[in-house]
PDB file of all heavy atoms in Angstrom:
ATOM      1  N   ILE S  41      41.139   8.290  -1.658  1.00 98.00           N
ATOM      2  CA  ILE S  41      42.176   8.441  -2.684  1.00 98.00           C
ATOM      3  C   ILE S  41      43.357   7.526  -2.396  1.00 98.00           C
ATOM      4  O   ILE S  41      43.939   6.922  -3.315  1.00 98.00           O
ATOM      5  CB  ILE S  41      42.603   9.918  -2.789  1.00 98.00           C
ATOM      6  CG1 ILE S  41      41.445  10.748  -3.363  1.00 98.00           C
ATOM      7  CG2 ILE S  41      43.862  10.075  -3.633  1.00 98.00           C
ATOM      8  CD1 ILE S  41      41.659  12.242  -3.326  1.00 98.00           C
ATOM      9  N   GLY S  42      43.720   7.377  -1.124  1.00 98.00           N
ATOM     10  CA  GLY S  42      44.799   6.460  -0.782  1.00 98.00           C
ATOM     11  C   GLY S  42      44.499   5.036  -1.212  1.00 98.00           C
ATOM     12  O   GLY S  42      45.350   4.358  -1.818  1.00 98.00           O
ATOM     13  N   GLY S  43      43.296   4.565  -0.931  1.00 98.00           N
ATOM     14  CA  GLY S  43      42.913   3.222  -1.339  1.00 98.00           C
ATOM     15  C   GLY S  43      42.929   3.054  -2.840  1.00 98.00           C
ATOM     16  O   GLY S  43      43.293   1.980  -3.365  1.00 98.00           O
ATOM     17  N   ALA S  44      42.533   4.101  -3.566  1.00 98.00           N
ATOM     18  CA  ALA S  44      42.549   4.040  -5.026  1.00 98.00           C
ATOM     19  C   ALA S  44      43.971   3.960  -5.562  1.00 98.00           C
ATOM     20  O   ALA S  44      44.264   3.190  -6.493  1.00 98.00           O
ATOM     21  CB  ALA S  44      41.833   5.259  -5.608  1.00 98.00           C
ATOM     22  N   LEU S  45      44.876   4.738  -4.998  1.00 98.00           N
ATOM     23  CA  LEU S  45      46.258   4.741  -5.473  1.00 98.00           C
ATOM     24  C   LEU S  45      46.922   3.376  -5.284  1.00 98.00           C
ATOM     25  O   LEU S  45      47.827   3.006  -6.043  1.00 98.00           O
ATOM     26  CB  LEU S  45      47.056   5.829  -4.764  1.00 98.00           C
ATOM     27  CG  LEU S  45      46.675   7.263  -5.144  1.00 98.00           C
ATOM     28  CD1 LEU S  45      47.374   8.270  -4.241  1.00 98.00           C
ATOM     29  CD2 LEU S  45      47.000   7.544  -6.604  1.00 98.00           C
ATOM     30  N   ALA S  46      46.478   2.629  -4.285  1.00 98.00           N
ATOM     31  CA  ALA S  46      47.027   1.291  -4.063  1.00 98.00           C
ATOM     32  C   ALA S  46      46.613   0.316  -5.155  1.00 98.00           C
ATOM     33  O   ALA S  46      47.212  -0.754  -5.294  1.00 98.00           O
ATOM     34  CB  ALA S  46      46.571   0.762  -2.703  1.00 98.00           C
ATOM     35  N   ALA S  47      45.587   0.679  -5.921  1.00 98.00           N
ATOM     36  CA  ALA S  47      44.983  -0.265  -6.877  1.00 98.00           C
ATOM     37  C   ALA S  47      45.300   0.047  -8.331  1.00 98.00           C
ATOM     38  O   ALA S  47      44.684  -0.539  -9.227  1.00 98.00           O
ATOM     39  CB  ALA S  47      43.470  -0.278  -6.673  1.00 98.00           C
ATOM     40  N   VAL S  48      46.253   0.929  -8.586  1.00 97.00           N
ATOM     41  CA  VAL S  48      46.528   1.350  -9.961  1.00 97.00           C
ATOM     42  C   VAL S  48      46.826   0.168 -10.873  1.00 97.00           C
ATOM     43  O   VAL S  48      46.411   0.144 -12.040  1.00 97.00           O
ATOM     44  CB  VAL S  48      47.709   2.351  -9.986  1.00 97.00           C
ATOM     45  CG1 VAL S  48      48.160   2.616 -11.418  1.00 97.00           C
ATOM     46  CG2 VAL S  48      47.307   3.657  -9.324  1.00 97.00           C
ATOM     47  N   ASN S  49      47.515  -0.832 -10.350  1.00 96.00           N
ATOM     48  CA  ASN S  49      47.912  -1.970 -11.188  1.00 96.00           C
ATOM     49  C   ASN S  49      47.045  -3.204 -10.981  1.00 96.00           C
ATOM     50  O   ASN S  49      47.376  -4.288 -11.487  1.00 96.00           O
ATOM     51  CB  ASN S  49      49.386  -2.312 -10.929  1.00 96.00           C
ATOM     52  CG  ASN S  49      50.311  -1.216 -11.427  1.00 96.00           C
ATOM     53  OD1 ASN S  49      50.162  -0.733 -12.546  1.00 96.00           O
ATOM     54  ND2 ASN S  49      51.243  -0.801 -10.590  1.00 96.00           N
ATOM     55  N   GLU S  50      45.950  -3.065 -10.262  1.00 97.00           N
ATOM     56  CA  GLU S  50      45.049  -4.198 -10.078  1.00 97.00           C
ATOM     57  C   GLU S  50      44.356  -4.546 -11.403  1.00 97.00           C
ATOM     58  O   GLU S  50      44.004  -3.646 -12.186  1.00 97.00           O
ATOM     59  CB  GLU S  50      44.001  -3.871  -9.021  1.00 97.00           C
ATOM     60  CG  GLU S  50      44.512  -3.936  -7.597  1.00 97.00           C
ATOM     61  CD  GLU S  50      44.977  -5.336  -7.237  1.00 97.00           C
ATOM     62  OE1 GLU S  50      44.141  -6.263  -7.192  1.00 97.00           O
ATOM     63  OE2 GLU S  50      46.188  -5.500  -7.007  1.00 97.00           O
ATOM     64  N   PRO S  51      44.139  -5.830 -11.665  1.00 97.00           N
ATOM     65  CA  PRO S  51      43.487  -6.216 -12.927  1.00 97.00           C
ATOM     66  C   PRO S  51      42.148  -5.532 -13.152  1.00 97.00           C
ATOM     67  O   PRO S  51      41.836  -5.150 -14.290  1.00 97.00           O
ATOM     68  CB  PRO S  51      43.325  -7.732 -12.776  1.00 97.00           C
ATOM     69  CG  PRO S  51      44.435  -8.142 -11.875  1.00 97.00           C
ATOM     70  CD  PRO S  51      44.598  -7.004 -10.900  1.00 97.00           C
ATOM     71  N   ALA S  52      41.354  -5.354 -12.100  1.00 96.00           N
ATOM     72  CA  ALA S  52      40.055  -4.696 -12.271  1.00 96.00           C
ATOM     73  C   ALA S  52      40.227  -3.273 -12.755  1.00 96.00           C
ATOM     74  O   ALA S  52      39.472  -2.790 -13.619  1.00 96.00           O
ATOM     75  CB  ALA S  52      39.271  -4.715 -10.954  1.00 96.00           C
TER      76      ALA S  52
END
Side-chain angles (χ1 to χ4, degrees):
I41 292 171
L45 291 172
V48 170
N49 292 313
E50 283 298 295

